[in-house]
Short mmCIF file of all heavy atoms in Angstrom, two decimals:
data_model
loop_
_atom_site.label_atom_id
_atom_site.label_comp_id
_atom_site.label_asym_id
_atom_site.label_seq_id
_atom_site.Cartn_x
_atom_site.Cartn_y
_atom_site.Cartn_z
N GLY A 240 -8.51 24.69 14.82
CA GLY A 240 -8.45 24.78 16.27
C GLY A 240 -8.38 23.41 16.93
O GLY A 240 -9.03 22.47 16.48
N ARG A 241 -7.62 23.30 17.98
CA ARG A 241 -7.47 22.02 18.69
C ARG A 241 -8.79 21.59 19.31
O ARG A 241 -9.56 22.42 19.78
CB ARG A 241 -6.41 22.15 19.79
CG ARG A 241 -4.99 22.27 19.28
CD ARG A 241 -4.01 22.50 20.42
NE ARG A 241 -2.64 22.57 19.95
CZ ARG A 241 -1.80 21.54 19.92
NH1 ARG A 241 -2.21 20.37 20.37
NH2 ARG A 241 -0.56 21.68 19.47
N ARG A 242 -9.00 20.27 19.34
CA ARG A 242 -10.21 19.70 19.91
C ARG A 242 -9.94 18.23 20.14
O ARG A 242 -8.99 17.66 19.58
CB ARG A 242 -11.38 19.88 18.94
CG ARG A 242 -11.21 19.09 17.66
CD ARG A 242 -12.19 19.49 16.60
NE ARG A 242 -11.94 20.84 16.12
CZ ARG A 242 -12.87 21.79 16.10
NH1 ARG A 242 -14.09 21.53 16.52
NH2 ARG A 242 -12.59 22.99 15.65
N PRO A 243 -10.74 17.56 20.97
CA PRO A 243 -10.59 16.11 21.13
C PRO A 243 -10.88 15.39 19.81
O PRO A 243 -11.80 15.78 19.08
CB PRO A 243 -11.62 15.75 22.20
CG PRO A 243 -11.93 17.04 22.90
CD PRO A 243 -11.79 18.10 21.86
N THR A 244 -10.11 14.35 19.51
CA THR A 244 -10.32 13.57 18.30
C THR A 244 -10.21 12.08 18.63
O THR A 244 -9.65 11.70 19.66
CB THR A 244 -9.28 13.91 17.22
OG1 THR A 244 -7.96 13.80 17.77
CG2 THR A 244 -9.49 15.32 16.70
N ILE A 245 -10.75 11.25 17.72
CA ILE A 245 -10.79 9.81 17.98
C ILE A 245 -9.40 9.17 17.94
O ILE A 245 -9.23 8.07 18.44
CB ILE A 245 -11.70 9.08 16.98
CG1 ILE A 245 -11.24 9.35 15.54
CG2 ILE A 245 -13.14 9.48 17.18
CD1 ILE A 245 -11.95 8.49 14.52
N ARG A 246 -8.44 9.83 17.34
CA ARG A 246 -7.07 9.31 17.32
C ARG A 246 -6.10 10.48 17.32
O ARG A 246 -6.48 11.62 16.98
CB ARG A 246 -6.84 8.39 16.12
CG ARG A 246 -7.02 9.03 14.76
CD ARG A 246 -6.78 7.99 13.68
NE ARG A 246 -6.97 8.49 12.32
CZ ARG A 246 -6.05 9.14 11.63
NH1 ARG A 246 -4.87 9.43 12.18
NH2 ARG A 246 -6.30 9.55 10.39
N PRO A 247 -4.85 10.22 17.69
CA PRO A 247 -3.88 11.31 17.77
C PRO A 247 -3.62 11.96 16.41
O PRO A 247 -3.53 11.27 15.39
CB PRO A 247 -2.61 10.62 18.30
CG PRO A 247 -3.10 9.37 18.95
CD PRO A 247 -4.29 8.94 18.17
N VAL A 248 -3.49 13.27 16.41
CA VAL A 248 -3.17 14.02 15.20
C VAL A 248 -2.18 15.11 15.57
O VAL A 248 -1.97 15.43 16.74
CB VAL A 248 -4.43 14.66 14.56
CG1 VAL A 248 -5.46 13.60 14.20
CG2 VAL A 248 -5.04 15.71 15.49
N THR A 249 -1.56 15.70 14.54
CA THR A 249 -0.71 16.87 14.72
C THR A 249 -1.52 18.10 14.31
O THR A 249 -2.22 18.07 13.29
CB THR A 249 0.54 16.77 13.84
OG1 THR A 249 1.29 15.61 14.22
CG2 THR A 249 1.41 18.01 13.99
N TRP A 250 -1.44 19.14 15.12
CA TRP A 250 -2.25 20.33 14.87
C TRP A 250 -1.43 21.44 14.22
O TRP A 250 -0.24 21.60 14.51
CB TRP A 250 -2.86 20.86 16.17
CG TRP A 250 -3.82 19.89 16.77
CD1 TRP A 250 -3.58 18.96 17.74
CD2 TRP A 250 -5.19 19.71 16.40
NE1 TRP A 250 -4.70 18.23 18.00
CE2 TRP A 250 -5.72 18.66 17.20
CE3 TRP A 250 -6.03 20.34 15.47
CZ2 TRP A 250 -7.04 18.23 17.10
CZ3 TRP A 250 -7.35 19.91 15.37
CH2 TRP A 250 -7.84 18.88 16.17
N ALA A 251 -2.06 22.19 13.34
CA ALA A 251 -1.41 23.32 12.68
C ALA A 251 -2.44 24.42 12.49
O ALA A 251 -3.65 24.18 12.56
CB ALA A 251 -0.83 22.89 11.33
N ARG A 252 -1.97 25.63 12.27
CA ARG A 252 -2.85 26.76 11.94
C ARG A 252 -2.28 27.50 10.74
O ARG A 252 -1.06 27.67 10.61
CB ARG A 252 -2.98 27.73 13.12
CG ARG A 252 -3.76 27.17 14.31
CD ARG A 252 -5.14 26.64 13.94
NE ARG A 252 -6.05 27.63 13.39
CZ ARG A 252 -7.01 28.21 14.09
NH1 ARG A 252 -7.17 27.94 15.40
NH2 ARG A 252 -7.83 29.06 13.52
#
Side-chain angles (χ1 to χ4, degrees):
R241 289 176 178 265
R242 66 193 67 234
T244 53
I245 57 170
R246 61 181 178 83
V248 301
T249 299
W250 295 96
R252 291 306 298 259

